[in-house]
Amino acid sequence: DTGVSQNPRHKITKRGQNVTFRCDPISEHNRLYWYRQTLGQGPEFLTYFQNEAQLEKSRLLSDRFSAERPKGSFSTLEIQRTEQGDSAMYLCASSLVAGADNEQFFGPGTRLTVL
Amino acid sequence: QKEVEQNSGPLSVPEGAIASLNCTYSDRGSQSFFWYRQYSGKSPELIMSIYSNGDKEDGRFTAQLNKASQYVSLLIRDSQPSDSATYLCAVIVAGGSYIPTFGRGTSLIVHP
C-alpha cells in the first residue's frame, strides 16, 4: 500500500503529557499537511511543509504544537502539555503539486483522547 | 475570511434516488473545488475535483460549479446504502498558498 500512513492510529494520554504523531506521505509527494478535525466539523488546517521547509502555520497552532519534516520525507507532530481541548482526530495529507489543482490524499488519522 | 458553507443534514434519500449536496463559498477568488467523502470514524477520501463552470461527471457522481452564484454541488445518481457518509466540500482561493478550506460536511443517509 503506497498511500499516506499515520502512527499511532489511536492515542490516549493524560492531561499534561506530551504526545508525538508520525506521518509518512505518498513517496513522490513533496507537500505534506497536518489538519485537526473534531466531531461535526471539517478538517482545520494546522501547518504544511514543502519538502523539509515548514511554509505556513495556522493561528490554531499554539506554542505547545510543533511539527518537523527533517529530511523531506516523513513528518512528526508533537503536542506538549496536552489539554483536554486537544482531543481530536489529527489528519495528515500529502499532495504532488503546489498549485490550484492541489488534490490532497489523507492518511487514516490519529485519534487523540486526552483524559 | 474564507467561508465554506454546507448544510450539516442529515440528508436522507431512498436507495436508487439522486442525492444532491450543496456547498456555497464566500471568496470570489476561489478557483478550485473538491468533494471528499468521509465514512464515520475514517479519514476523508477525494472523489471529485472541478475547476471550471459547468458539470463534470465521473461514474455516478456529477459535480456542478457556478462561480457567478458561488456554489458547487455534488449529485449522486442511483444512490446506494454504501454512499451513506459525510461529504465535505473544499475550496482553494487563487493567489495564496493553495491550502484548501473545508466546509463542515453534509451527512447523507441512503435508506434501503
Side-chain angles (χ1 to χ4, degrees):
Chain A
D1 187 351
T2 56
V4 179
S5 62
Q6 291 186 247
N7 288 288
R9 297 290 303 278
H10 303 273
K11 179 70 177 179
I12 299 174
T13 191
K14 293 182 179 179
R15 188 178 53 184
Q17 298 295 304
N18 298 343
V19 294
T20 300
F21 309 143
R22 175 176 170 131
C23 171
D24 288 84
I26 295 171
S27 58
E28 62 267 28
H29 286 186
N30 54 24
R31 270 198 162 194
L32 185 150
Y33 310 81
W34 286 99
Y35 291 88
R36 179 172 64 192
Q37 187 177 26
T38 53
L39 193 63
Q41 301 298 318
E44 295 176 299
F45 169 73
L46 294 177
T47 189
Y48 89 93
F49 293 83
Q50 176 126 351
N51 299 313
E52 66 273 11
Q54 187 174 17
L55 296 186
E56 188 168 332
K57 294 192 289 187
S58 164
R59 286 171 291 177
L60 292 175
L61 209 65
S62 78
D63 292 345
R64 297 184 297 105
F65 288 69
S66 62
E68 294 183 339
R69 194 182 183 196
K71 296 183 179 180
S73 56
F74 73 92
S75 175
T76 58
L77 177 69
E78 181 183 18
I79 309 174
Q80 296 182 326
R81 305 181 303 281
T82 52
E83 301 172 356
Q84 289 184 326
D86 297 331
S87 295
M89 174 79 89
Y90 289 84
L91 294 164
C92 175
S94 69
S95 69
L96 181 61
V97 295
D101 52 347
N102 182 4
E103 295 184 346
Q104 299 187 350
F105 298 88
F106 284 85
T110 296
R111 183 168 296 283
L112 173 65
T113 301
V114 181
L115 303 176
Chain B
Q1 177 75 19
K2 306 172 194 174
E3 290 187 0
V4 179
E5 300 289 338
Q6 296 182 258
N7 188 321
S8 60
L11 173 66
S12 181
V13 300
E15 184 175 357
I18 296 175
S20 178
L21 304 160
N22 298 313
C23 170
T24 59
Y25 57 93
S26 61
D27 195 321
R28 286 198 170 273
S30 301
Q31 67 177 122
S32 307
F33 308 85
F34 307 88
W35 283 99
Y36 288 82
R37 177 176 61 200
Q38 186 171 28
Y39 292 112
S40 181
K42 304 296 185 183
S43 62
E45 172 193 9
L46 180 66
I47 53 173
M48 291 283 288
S49 57
I50 186 167
Y51 307 104
S52 304
N53 275 329
D55 296 358
K56 179 180 178 182
E57 187 174 318
D58 184 359
R60 295 187 296 112
F61 299 98
T62 299
Q64 299 176 319
L65 175 60
N66 184 323
K67 290 187 177 180
S69 299
Q70 295 178 244
Y71 80 79
V72 56
S73 60
L74 180 70
L75 302 179
I76 306 175
R77 290 182 300 281
D78 188 23
S79 295
Q80 301 297 309
S82 59
D83 294 326
S84 299
T86 295
Y87 289 81
L88 298 164
C89 173
V91 174
I92 288 179
V93 176
S97 53
Y98 301 104
I99 306 294
T101 299
F102 286 82
R104 62 189 300 178
T106 298
S107 174
L108 172 67
I109 299 172
V110 181
H111 53 87

